[in-house]
Amino acid sequence: MTFEVSGKKAVIIYSAPHVLGLMLCLLLAAASCQAQNIAGRWGATGKTLDNGEVRKAILDLRQAGTQLTGSVTTLGFVATVKGAVIGAHVKIFGPWSDQHPFLVGDVVNGELHLLQDTQDQWVFKPATPADDFPKPTYVDPPTLHKVPYNGLAKTPPMGWNSWNLFAGKIDDKTVRTMADAMVSSGMRDAGYIYVNIDDTWEGIRDAQGNLQPNYKFPDMKALSAYVHSMGLKLGIYSSPGPRTCAGYPASYGHEQQDANIFASWGIDYLKYDWCSAGSIYKNESLQPIYQKMGEALHATGRPIVYSLCEYGLGSVEKWGADVSGNLWRTTDDIRDNWDSMLSNIEKQAPTAPYAGPGHWNDPDMLEIGNGRMSDDEYRTHMSLWALTAAPLLAGNDIRTMSAVTKSILMNKEVIAIDQDSLGKQALPVKNGNLETWIKPLSDGGVAVGVVNLGPAAAQATVHASDLHLAHAVAKARDLWRHQEVEFVNGSYAATIPSHSVLLLRLWLQ
Ligand code: GLA
């Protein structure tokens, strides 16, 4: 979806209802294609958040011919933008993608009617001073020092998180029913202990600056008591910026106050998402800014797992443990598709040496059971997360999951690979369409996963001699077939369907 305009000829690769207008523009004289002038400052209001605040946006646009540059400001965020206006048609790209515009639409009677990629409709009018956002006061990052380890997450954290399935549609009742289902489905007993509320729970701050939940969470303390009564733990979400990624109030300037409130509610896990902090601080400040909340959590005296969510920015693996981080995101957000899942897990390979008991690389939450990958692909997803000692945070509807989804998420033999106390992260070795991952285990054995990346079934042979083992193989099990397999003359061969995995657990003599 890009377009180039060179002289009178335009090359358009495009997919939208405006194709006809643009084609007409191409057929007619160049004058009719002239870009409308939309340089200037535009203000818009969007939908109302769950805490009653109204979303606003300001577009500051400069224009040279058809080309646009400038910035967009929303609650807590400022981002540079570029784009184009052809006739009355407008496309605007953020710094995060040159391929997909995040605002597309038309000039209509002196207004910009733009549809966001999230499907939100914005009507921009010439901005007035009332559209301006209050600027947060700049707070210097603290000087660096080590925050003591909180003693948690000796093995990768396991649980459930609301974002992948519910995004903004999460509330107290859903969390309670999910907690019930974690118990009745067997998830809790399989090790999935944390029930984590992601973004959009936030209300507004009261006169003392205490952050309240919004109407969807009437009583956080009662909710945590309920979740605890089920033998589970409760997680929550915030950002070091003034706003979360969904635009809700976050912890900037209120770090200790928020940590104290979370502790007083009985929170056991905090996911702390960089989001709008990126509009205030450069990436060089990631460590001190995460250190601030690490210290604040430590000061509460409550054991709270600290999950850093910064999309792999700032070489987090090198300092995450120093701010008492128990896990840190190594990649962008996962999507429920094969390419996204695979690229997340492959991308985090260079961070492998930094994973270990107490602090883990996090390639993002699980999509297993959300419906857009095949069962084989979900088995591969689970296997790869286990081989790489990744946190296992289910992101599906536990209340309604199918027998197959249960068999994937609750495969105890695969979970045991993830939770092995040695805490080693496997690395991939590619051979054509076959990718082999080897994870050393605490008893001297290994887990071996062979993924078939290709479009057709493939024959794979695992040679013990390739695995650099200290001793010969005594016993081997196929962890998806749940049966012992035999190494004959030091090797084992199997057919692996497309996008599927052969996952073996080897015990040595
Ligand atoms: C970011 C994070 C996601 C989720 C959303 C919530 O995109 O990476 O995991 O928490 O924010 O807004």
Side-chain angles (χ1 to χ4, degrees):
M1 272 208 263
T2 56
F3 55 83
E4 298 156 25
V5 180
S6 55
K8 287 184 189 171
K9 270 194 177 171
V11 185
I12 300 182
I13 313 158
Y14 188 62
S15 61
H18 313 278
V19 172
L20 210 63
L22 286 168
M23 282 173 62
L24 260 178
C25 163
L26 287 176
L27 292 173
L28 297 171
S32 67
C33 299
Q34 261 171 16
Q36 294 210 15
N37 182 8
I38 59 167
R41 194 168 161 77
W42 300 86
T45 49
K47 64 177 186 200
T48 304
L49 298 175
D50 292 330
N51 64 357
E53 291 181 297
V54 175
R55 287 182 69 199
K56 296 197 303 177
I58 290 184
L59 261 179
D60 262 310
L61 295 177
R62 293 181 294 278
Q63 186 170 348
T66 57
Q67 300 304 303
L68 300 169
T69 51
S71 66
V72 63
T73 311
T74 56
L75 280 173
F77 293 87
V78 187
T80 54
V81 297
K82 60 186 177 188
V85 50
I86 306 277
H89 188 59
V90 181
K91 278 180 166 198
I92 294 179
F93 298 81
W96 48 87
S97 170
D98 284 342
Q99 305 299 316
H100 303 287
F102 77 102
L103 289 171
V104 179
D106 294 282
V107 186
V108 180
N109 300 329
E111 298 175 342
L112 307 182
H113 291 196
L114 304 180
L115 184 67
Q116 197 182 339
D117 49 7
T118 53
Q119 298 305 308
D120 291 336
Q121 182 75 50
W122 296 89
V123 176
F124 286 90
K125 301 179 180 174
T128 68
D131 292 319
D132 283 343
F133 290 92
K135 268 220 166 77
T137 323
Y138 181 78
V139 182
D140 280 325
T143 48
L144 285 180
H145 59 85
K146 252 192 171 167
V147 184
Y149 169 48
N150 56 17
L152 301 171
K154 296 241 161 74
T155 61
M158 292 177 66
W160 176 86
N161 174 292
S162 60
W163 186 255
N164 283 357
L165 182 63
F166 293 99
K169 296 196 173 66
I170 186 66
D171 58 15
D172 177 283
K173 185 164 173 264
T174 309
V175 173
R176 282 172 193 253
T177 53
M178 210 57 74
D180 296 344
M182 294 291 279
V183 177
S184 60
S185 64
M187 285 286 280
R188 179 196 63 187
D189 294 343
Y192 294 87
I193 293 297
Y194 291 95
V195 174
N196 294 347
I197 306 165
D198 209 281
D199 204 351
T200 81
W201 65 267
E202 306 86 349
I204 51 174
R205 293 187 186 276
D206 68 13
Q208 284 71 45
N210 292 319
L211 185 55
Q212 309 294 316
N214 63 45
Y215 75 95
K216 296 185 299 181
F217 290 91
D219 187 343
M220 279 292 187
K221 220 171 178 170
L223 178 58
S224 94
Y226 182 78
V227 168
H228 292 155
S229 76
M230 313 290 288
L232 295 162
K233 292 179 183 291
L234 187 65
I236 210 161
Y237 167 99
S238 191
S239 163
R243 293 279 165 175
T244 68
C245 291
Y248 287 79
S251 298
Y252 184 71
H254 294 272
E255 290 80 3
Q256 190 63 61
Q257 195 173 17
D258 287 1
N260 293 348
I261 289 187
F262 298 154
S264 77
W265 288 340
I267 296 295
D268 308 292
Y269 184 118
L270 173 67
K271 174 173 169 185
Y272 205 44
D273 195 348
W274 187 239
C275 302
S276 65
S279 298
I280 296 179
Y281 298 113
K282 297 210 159 75
N283 290 352
E284 294 89 84
S285 298
L286 275 149
Q287 182 176 355
I289 296 307
Y290 274 99
Q291 171 187 300
K292 211 177 202 182
M293 182 51 91
E295 260 192 310
L297 293 175
H298 180 70
T300 66
R302 186 176 172 83
I304 298 177
V305 168
Y306 187 27
S307 159
L308 319 187
C309 178
E310 29 42 53
Y311 340 113
L313 295 175
S315 304
V316 61
E317 67 280 3
K318 300 198 177 128
W319 50 262
D322 290 345
V323 302
S324 83
N326 297 113
L327 59 157
W328 46 77
R329 279 275 294 277
T330 47
T331 63
D332 283 337
D333 291 14
I334 194 169
R335 302 270 173 250
D336 188 11
N337 67 64
W338 172 257
D339 289 343
S340 163
M341 183 275 289
L342 198 68
S343 111
N344 269 23
I345 206 74
E346 286 180 343
K347 235 188 250 163
Q348 74 156 6
T351 64
Y354 300 93
H359 48 86
W360 308 98
N361 293 311
D362 174 11
D364 207 359
M365 302 167 293
L366 300 171
E367 291 283 8
I368 295 163
N370 278 337
R372 294 204 165 80
M373 283 190 252
S374 69
D375 293 339
D376 270 336
E377 290 175 336
Y378 284 140
R379 271 181 215 106
T380 302
H381 184 2
M382 182 75 183
S383 306
L384 289 175
W385 262 237
L387 285 159
T388 55
L392 297 179
L393 293 163
N396 60 313
D397 195 337
I398 305 300
R399 301 166 301 187
T400 56
M401 61 184 168
S402 69
V404 178
T405 300
K406 283 184 186 171
S407 73
I408 298 173
L409 283 172
M410 291 191 275
N411 182 328
K412 293 198 172 136
E413 295 188 276
V414 178
I415 292 173
I417 301 301
D418 180 75
Q419 296 288 301
D420 182 79
S421 61
L422 193 61
K424 289 279 182 218
Q425 178 176 327
L427 284 171
V429 180
K430 235 181 220 172
N431 180 4
N433 279 334
L434 297 178
E435 191 173 65
T436 304
W437 301 69
I438 304 160
K439 178 176 156 94
L441 301 171
S442 51
D443 68 355
V446 288
V448 183
V450 186
V451 178
N452 178 0
L453 306 174
Q459 175 85 3
T461 307
V462 177
H463 299 286
S465 56
D466 290 343
L467 305 177
H468 311 293
L469 305 174
H471 301 280
V473 176
K475 185 174 116 177
R477 267 180 80 77
D478 179 323
L479 303 188
W480 287 112
R481 292 212 176 111
H482 298 289
Q483 65 189 28
E484 278 193 30
V485 298
E486 216 181 314
F487 270 64
V488 179
N489 297 328
S491 53
Y492 174 72
T495 302
I496 309 176
S498 166
H499 289 191
S500 191
V501 63
L502 167 69
L503 184 60
L504 300 178
R505 191 342 177 162
L506 308 186
W507 288 262
L508 306 188
Q509 276 168 5

